[in-house]
Amino acid sequence: MSQVHYGHIYHVTGAPKVTDAADALVSIPDGALVIDDEGRITFCGNRSEAPEDSGTVFDHRPGFILPGFVDTHIHFPQTYAGDAYGGGQLLEWLNLCIFPSESRFADKDFAQQAAVEFCTRRIAAGTTAAMVFGSAFPHAQDSLFAETLRVGLRVVSGRGIQTQGGETATPLMTSEEDAIRLTREEIEKWHAADTGDVATALLHVAIVPRFSLSVTTETLKNLGELYDEVRDRGVYVHSHLNENNRPGTGEVDSTKDLYQVNSYLDTYDGKFLPGSTVGGKSLLGRRTILAHCVHCQDVELERMAETGTSISHCPVSQQFLGSGTMPWKRTVASGVNISAGTDFGGGDEWLISKVLSDAFKVHISEAGDAGVSMHPGEMLFLGTLAGARALDMEDRFGNLDVGKEADFIIVDPSQTPTLDAALTNLTRSDDPKLASDQELFALLMGIREPAITEVYVRGHRVEAT
Ligand SMILES: [Zn+2]
């Protein structure tokens, strides 16, 4: 049945670059969103101009209607690993906390329980679409896909691939043969499994090597072959890049030492042999998302922009693990698409708006001329439309333009007293445009889970049950 939702609408219209997102920001204080029987948006505008008899009315005023949040980097097998303490930074934390925690997903019941919890947390956070770094265990991935489909969220995911590592990583590792066989089986079983068509599916599969330190050159070569074979079927690639640069023992130096390459990105670009010699096919492309990219060389940013590869920017996690800050201006200037990721449990927040809030804080704090005060339109873009672009599904969702599938959330500030008080008593500029920006900024900074009262994917209300 068609439906119409009333509320204050904010979204970033069209298909702008991040540098144009502020100009593309739309605010409709007394707005109406009309959705047809198929879950598509047929009208987004002033309530007074909405077609009459548009369907069942849902009046959320004085609440807000925003596009659903898109989280482009989050770890399913770290559902219970947020705020894990092991001392040290990324590599120490992985060995001491994360590999043991992820190994518990070998237990089928535990993995199933985690899949329910993971989807529940996503609904609470209004994350309608996500690139999910998967478990090493196929049964856990079965639970994730089945539970995601049951509740009606979108997901792109793939089992985490590891073929080398230390002692604590052993339960997560497989042989070279199994690494490819299990990944191939997951693609056949779950890629577009809900509709049989990637253009309409809620479920998609990615090829997910944990990071270059966790796989061999043989694995990278075989994954390149596999991706070359399935790329045209809309399969994705997901991994980490240039996250932690602790001198001597960090991930970036360790990777370059191990592979003897000129850049970390080369290991994902088929150039994983010493001296960055070509050893196989590239994993880069418009359905590839690399998380973090804090310490990229210019040549790496250029190559990502050229291939359409996206960045998942995860400032909450980068602070938690002492990884530094992705340089905003320099990364934006390269033209690469930047989206937002929680990186839970490297990050300790499930909410994309908390990622946007931390992005604002870290980038205004960058040294000298690198410091920037992000516009709230850029923040909203990062957490919605840029994520849809990173997932190569911008034509389907990410904003509330007519024709898109209706992925949106309702924000009721009265459920979060601090947000409610802030919005009620906000000192607004006399300039109406600035006043509107101020209101969105306060909203994005102040949203907490209880304020996200309703979540819709393709026009269907998604609820934890
Ligand atoms: Zn991660």
Side-chain angles (χ1 to χ4, degrees), residues 73 75 240 292 343:
H73 184 59
H75 292 260
H240 298 89
H292 299 293
D343 193 21

Side-chain angles (χ1 to χ4, degrees), residues 274-435:
S276 290
T277 305
V278 173
K281 295 194 163 66
S282 179
L283 293 170
L284 306 185
R286 58 184 292 150
R287 283 184 297 279
T288 299
I289 300 176
L290 297 174
H292 299 293
C293 303
V294 173
H295 308 284
C296 284
Q297 303 171 39
D298 285 345
V299 66
E300 293 176 295
L301 293 173
E302 283 164 21
R303 180 64 180 151
M304 281 190 280
E306 174 186 86
T307 55
T309 301
S310 287
I311 291 174
S312 179
H313 180 28
C314 311
V316 175
S317 162
Q318 285 147 18
Q319 293 190 95
F320 183 79
L321 291 170
S323 300
T325 301
M326 185 197 79
W328 179 257
K329 281 187 179 176
R330 188 165 76 85
T331 310
V332 166
S334 75
V336 64
N337 180 48
I338 306 166
S339 57
T342 58
D343 193 21
F344 199 93
D348 59 347
E349 295 283 355
W350 293 85
L351 262 177
I352 279 295
S353 57
K354 289 290 285 179
V355 175
L356 307 178
S357 161
D358 276 15
F360 180 86
K361 293 170 192 164
V362 298
H363 297 310
I364 203 167
S365 302
E366 287 190 66
D369 290 345
V372 61
S373 172
M374 290 177 74
H375 189 280
E378 293 174 331
M379 294 164 67
L380 184 62
F381 172 80
L382 199 66
T384 58
L385 194 60
R389 185 173 300 167
L391 293 173
D392 197 31
M393 288 190 267
E394 188 179 7
D395 57 332
R396 297 180 62 187
F397 58 87
N399 63 18
L400 304 176
D401 284 346
V402 169
K404 294 265 176 106
E405 297 171 24
D407 286 17
F408 62 99
I409 61 174
I410 303 302
V411 181
D412 177 0
S414 71
Q415 300 302 312
T416 305
T418 48
L419 175 61
D420 200 31
L423 289 172
T424 303
N425 301 296
L426 185 69
T427 303
R428 291 170 171 80
S429 167
D430 292 335
D431 171 0
K433 176 74 174 83
L434 180 55

Side-chain angles (χ1 to χ4, degrees), residues 138-161:
H139 62 256
Q141 288 298 97
D142 289 346
S143 289
L144 174 69
F145 281 113
E147 185 61 20
T148 304
L149 183 60
R150 191 182 72 79
V151 298
L153 291 167
R154 298 179 194 271
V155 73
V156 182
S157 186
R159 63 174 297 273
I161 300 164

Side-chain angles (χ1 to χ4, degrees), residues 4-7 30-31 47 56-63 410 454:
V4 55
H5 295 262
Y6 296 152
D30 191 10
R47 188 168 61 87
T56 309
V57 172
F58 298 87
D59 193 347
H60 308 292
R61 292 174 297 170
I410 303 302
E454 296 180 24

